Amino acid sequence: MKTRRLRMPDPQRRELKRILREGGLGAAFQPIVDLSTGRPAGIEALCRPVSTGLFTCAGDLFQAAERLRMLWPLELEARRSAIATLGRWSHDARLFMNCSPQVVSDLRFVCALDLAISACEGLHRDRLVIEITERADHRITPALRRRVCELKALGFGIAIDDVGAGMSGLNRIMELRPHWLKLDMALVRRIDADPYRRKLVRAIATFASDCQIKLVAEGIESEAELETIREVGVDYAQGFHLARPLDCIADVPAVISCAPGITRCAA
Ligand code: G
Ligand code: MN
């Protein structure tokens, strides 16, 4: 007689299913500031799982979803809820959404985005920027390349996240030709005290400007870092020194003071 081995249900799978069923995906919103005006050029939606002990941060959650092949439904839900909040933001900043390369490559991706957009009156594709994030998968597949071309042709913005960290390297920029580059915070940390770092970021800023790519410095934590990135030619910035991620998109200020010499307290 054949014996069937019973598989124990994975507790993380059970929890992911519950999150999808009952909603347990919170979000926080952090502005990407245009340093020439102080206005948010965009707002990044950051996924924040409502903690139940199994997942304490978004990284854990998405790692488990990847392992359990549940990345698609989870990212779909994260994007849908982020897009829905845009109705509560009365200004015209773009919404930046983190998407993994596997999900962007999926044939259903564009349709799923359009469906979420159609539920939001007056929202157009050019208000959305897809931040291609880097988790484990570093290959640029033909499917990813095709989908990115398609998204650009349809009017969506494309950003490459965490440039300078891990796998978000030069070949990714070359292959995908994004509208936005987001410099990883490791590259800008204490840039004011490090001439080597300044030279590297200045070179990237020159490249970005020559290619009409908008450059964002992530993770700005001090006035000195802010002044230095501005000095070397970075036009957009994000970080605790400018604004912490906020639970409610409507609380993101319409103008963020970022004039040189004005000191803000990092809350
Ligand atoms: O990978 P990505 O750039 O999307 O990650 C953004 C993460 O960085 C979020 O979790 C956000 O809360 C965090 N973050 C945003 N601004 C800062 C900052 O100034 N310093 C640090 N250490 N983390 C930040
Ligand atoms: Mn990001």
Side-chain angles (χ1 to χ4, degrees):
M1 199 172 79
K2 266 192 189 164
T3 54
R4 272 180 62 205
R5 239 190 324 144
L6 280 177
R7 254 201 309 157
M8 290 294 286
D10 185 309
Q12 288 191 326
R13 182 189 297 280
R14 220 175 326 140
E15 179 62 1
L16 283 172
K17 283 189 174 162
R18 192 200 59 77
I19 287 174
L20 288 169
R21 203 174 46 243
E22 296 171 14
L25 270 183
F29 301 90
Q30 191 180 33
I32 295 165
V33 182
D34 179 338
L35 296 177
S36 67
T37 62
R39 293 183 181 281
I43 297 177
E44 179 173 0
L46 300 160
C47 187
R48 294 278 188 268
V50 178
S51 175
T52 54
L54 268 186
F55 306 116
T56 49
C57 65
D60 290 353
L61 180 81
F62 286 104
Q63 226 169 35
E66 200 167 342
R67 177 177 71 80
L68 296 164
R69 296 179 185 278
M70 291 176 72
L71 206 47
W72 173 262
L74 196 73
E75 285 208 8
L76 190 71
E77 178 50 23
R79 277 192 311 271
R80 196 204 51 73
S81 58
I83 290 173
T85 60
L86 207 53
R88 273 176 258 147
W89 170 252
S90 49
H91 305 276
D92 57 1
R94 303 165 185 88
L95 182 71
F96 283 63
M97 300 179 299
N98 295 295
C99 301
S100 59
Q102 300 96 301
V103 166
V104 177
S105 308
D106 195 299
L107 267 174
R108 298 166 292 177
F109 186 71
V110 174
C111 273
L113 275 185
D114 273 342
L115 198 65
I117 291 172
S118 65
C120 236
E121 213 187 299
L123 181 62
H124 296 287
R125 290 166 176 157
D126 59 6
R127 296 261 319 270
L128 298 186
V129 179
I130 315 297
E131 278 190 27
I132 302 184
T133 59
E134 179 45 57
R135 290 198 186 102
D137 193 350
H138 61 277
R139 285 163 304 134
I140 309 221
T141 59
L144 178 63
R145 219 177 288 127
R146 265 200 303 275
R147 214 76 335 106
V148 166
C149 275
E150 210 174 298
L151 286 162
K152 285 199 272 193
L154 288 170
F156 292 101
I158 299 291
I160 297 191
D161 205 3
D162 303 326
V163 170
M167 307 289 189
S168 267
L170 296 180
N171 69 325
R172 188 162 279 239
I173 299 170
M174 215 55 70
E175 295 266 6
L176 302 181
R177 313 256 160 142
H179 305 102
W180 297 80
L181 284 183
K182 298 188 77 184
L183 283 183
D184 190 74
M185 59 182 88
L187 276 185
V188 298
R189 185 63 61 249
R190 295 308 322 270
I191 188 169
D192 49 296
D194 186 350
Y196 202 82
R197 230 166 255 259
R198 276 203 296 280
K199 288 191 170 83
L200 178 58
V201 174
R202 195 190 295 276
I204 300 174
T206 304
F207 162 77
S209 153
D210 287 351
C211 298
Q212 279 98 48
I213 298 172
K214 297 185 174 83
L215 185 63
V216 182
E218 295 184 300
I220 296 295
E221 289 186 352
S222 70
E223 189 62 26
E225 286 172 1
L226 179 62
E227 278 178 20
T228 311
I229 55 126
R230 201 202 288 268
E231 225 171 80
V232 297
V234 179
D235 294 330
Y236 300 87
Q238 185 177 359
F240 294 166
H241 183 64
L242 292 157
R244 293 241 162 201
L246 294 160
D247 292 340
C248 180
I249 198 167
D251 293 339
V252 175
V255 179
I256 291 147
S257 134
C258 58
I262 295 180
T263 311
R264 258 167 313 274
C265 309

